[in-house]
Amino acid sequence: AHTVGATEQMARYAAILGVPFQSFESFESLNLALQGDRWKGLVLIDTPGGLTGDGQEMSAAVKFFAHQAEIERHLVIRADARSADMRTMVTRFSPLGPSRLLFTGVDEVNGLGAAAEIMMHTGMSATFLGTGPRIPEDLEQASVEKMLGPLRTMNRLAAHAA
């Protein structure tokens, strides 16, 4: 249920990673495909970003993930989003049961205060940080050091200016 552009982009990412890619028009067909032997091991599922809490697609996604407890769910959020927007995203996608956060655009922000705030608010930890446009090269495992890096740089600049 992606737009054509999003499907093409995901296919490019899969080609870069050297992994198979398949697009499904419904969660029912995805569920059937996952039951086959071909999909054993790591499977990455990208859900449509336009899911809303009251829509038919969201209902289908909730139903699908309710029967897939073994699937680890990461909510992807832009690091430059405002705290209120991050909270909206968490609320919108909470029916899917995400347990981890992945922040993209980390290289485009001066600090990760809103990201830290949403992690404290939700109790979810960050697993990966998108630090540039190249996938997978710019996808880094999240750590306290990486999360605090921009803050330390700002503190050093402030101390030097004083």
Side-chain angles (χ1 to χ4, degrees):
H2 291 290
T3 63
V4 172
T7 300
E8 290 170 0
Q9 184 176 17
M10 293 304 298
R12 279 195 301 271
Y13 286 155
I16 291 168
L17 292 169
V19 297
F21 169 80
Q22 187 162 356
S23 178
F24 296 94
E25 293 300 317
S26 70
F27 286 99
E28 292 82 13
S29 58
L30 172 59
N31 188 40
L32 288 172
L34 289 175
Q35 293 174 16
D37 288 335
R38 178 177 180 222
W39 296 101
K40 300 301 179 202
L42 177 66
V43 176
L44 302 174
I45 301 170
D46 180 35
T47 59
L51 291 177
T52 58
D54 57 352
Q56 197 171 23
E57 279 188 328
M58 178 60 92
S59 297
V62 168
K63 182 178 176 184
F64 170 79
F65 285 110
H67 294 57
Q68 304 290 343
E70 72 282 0
I71 294 178
E72 193 174 282
R73 296 161 216 165
H74 299 242
L75 179 60
V76 178
I77 300 177
R78 290 276 314 159
D80 60 357
R82 297 176 307 144
S83 293
D85 295 333
M86 287 185 184
R87 285 181 188 235
T88 298
M89 293 298 290
V90 167
T91 300
R92 178 182 296 164
F93 289 96
S94 66
L96 300 179
S99 61
R100 294 174 176 86
L101 300 169
L102 188 158
F103 295 100
T104 61
V106 171
D107 57 316
E108 299 173 18
V109 297
N110 291 326
L112 295 171
E117 182 182 325
I118 201 68
M119 288 168 41
M120 289 186 290
H121 172 74
T122 63
M124 287 188 265
S125 62
T127 51
F128 295 98
L129 304 173
T131 59
R134 298 172 305 151
I135 302 293
E137 295 89 350
D138 294 331
L139 195 60
E140 300 178 15
Q141 190 165 8
S143 67
V144 172
E145 182 62 35
K146 293 213 184 287
M147 297 289 292
L148 293 178
L151 180 60
R152 289 186 178 138
T153 301
M154 286 175 28
N155 283 341
R156 281 195 300 270
L157 292 174
H160 181 57

